[in-house]
Amino acid sequence: MAIRVSRGERQAQTRSDLIAAAREVFLRRGFHGATLEEIAQEAGYTKGAVYSNFEDKDALYLAVLDAHYERRIEAYAGIVLEGEVWEDVLREVSRFMADADDREPGWLPLLTEFVAHAAHDDAVRVAYLETRNRFLEAIAGILDAGNERYSKRFKISTFEMARASSALIRAMSAERRLDPAGTSRELFIELHTSMMIGL
């Protein structure tokens, strides 16, 4: 007997398929180079399916970013809340960030491209900040839990620590793309770990 799938379940699956396809196309083409037609084709749907789920390309990218952030939050929580020694935990987080940049070297340049785009459109900028700030608040919550677990006192708010961490990986990723001989993953790991320990 065939299992009946509800309309809501079909729509959720379509949305999930489009987000996954959009991530691949954005990574391959960049934000400005990607088209909704190509994303729809990659997902196996019509362009109409994209507009049924997302207002425009900006909204679709922000959905991709939100899904990306959800996976990162889960990973960081696992590292921070299952460790034994605070300094070792920070080094492991730094290593995870460097490894992620190695696995998908196009991700942070794509994010930078979108941030530059958002800076020229106030509505997009506000929508991006809402998405980004939800992520930073979640990371701040993980750091707060780490504070309890490891009995540490921080010099600035955990939200600002999360913002500094995010800024450093984006800047160092750009440096690694521009000057791979002069900027190594090991340097990022040392810089990020030292910064977080100092805070």
Side-chain angles (χ1 to χ4, degrees):
M1 185 171 83
I3 298 174
R4 298 188 69 179
V5 179
S6 72
R7 184 168 180 264
E9 288 172 326
R10 283 197 306 274
Q11 186 168 14
Q13 184 61 56
T14 300
R15 181 179 173 86
S16 178
D17 291 344
L18 288 168
I19 290 171
R23 181 185 180 93
E24 294 305 313
V25 175
F26 282 136
L27 283 169
R28 190 164 61 235
R29 301 285 192 198
F31 176 76
H32 290 294
T35 65
L36 294 180
E37 290 88 348
E38 184 176 3
I39 290 168
Q41 185 176 22
E42 178 98 359
Y45 295 102
T46 65
K47 188 178 175 183
V50 179
Y51 282 115
S52 294
N53 287 275
F54 304 98
E55 184 179 345
D56 53 24
K57 188 163 71 165
D58 294 325
L60 178 52
Y61 177 82
L62 289 171
V64 170
L65 184 60
D66 207 36
H68 174 86
Y69 283 157
E70 285 180 15
R71 290 189 295 273
R72 288 297 171 86
I73 290 163
E74 185 177 348
Y76 292 144
I79 295 169
V80 172
L81 302 179
E82 295 172 12
E84 299 293 333
V85 178
W86 181 238
E87 288 75 10
D88 293 344
V89 164
L90 293 177
R91 186 168 297 280
E92 184 59 30
V93 168
S94 302
R95 189 173 293 111
F96 174 89
M97 294 169 78
D99 289 345
D101 191 37
D102 285 342
R103 280 194 306 275
E104 282 192 320
W107 175 259
L108 289 172
L110 169 63
L111 176 58
T112 301
E113 182 186 0
F114 184 79
V115 168
H117 162 72
H120 296 289
D121 184 317
D122 205 48
V124 179
R125 182 185 63 81
V126 170
Y128 165 69
L129 284 177
E130 288 173 356
T131 301
R132 195 278 309 267
N133 288 348
R134 281 195 306 271
F135 171 67
L136 294 182
E137 285 163 6
I139 298 303
I142 294 169
L143 289 169
D144 287 333
N147 181 31
E148 293 293 321
R149 179 177 174 85
Y150 303 100
S151 301
K152 297 293 179 182
R153 294 180 61 191
F154 302 134
K155 295 180 179 178
I156 62 174
S157 74
T158 49
F159 182 89
E160 294 303 335
M161 289 175 71
R163 191 204 303 260
S165 171
S166 176
L168 182 58
I169 184 59
R170 282 185 283 121
M172 290 301 290
S173 175
E175 287 296 316
R176 289 180 68 194
R177 305 286 93 76
L178 294 169
D179 184 13
T183 312
S184 67
R185 68 188 302 280
E186 289 73 22
L187 176 60
F188 166 76
I189 291 168
E190 289 304 318
L191 285 172
H192 186 265
T193 303
S194 298
M195 179 186 76
M196 298 299 282
I197 289 172
L199 293 175

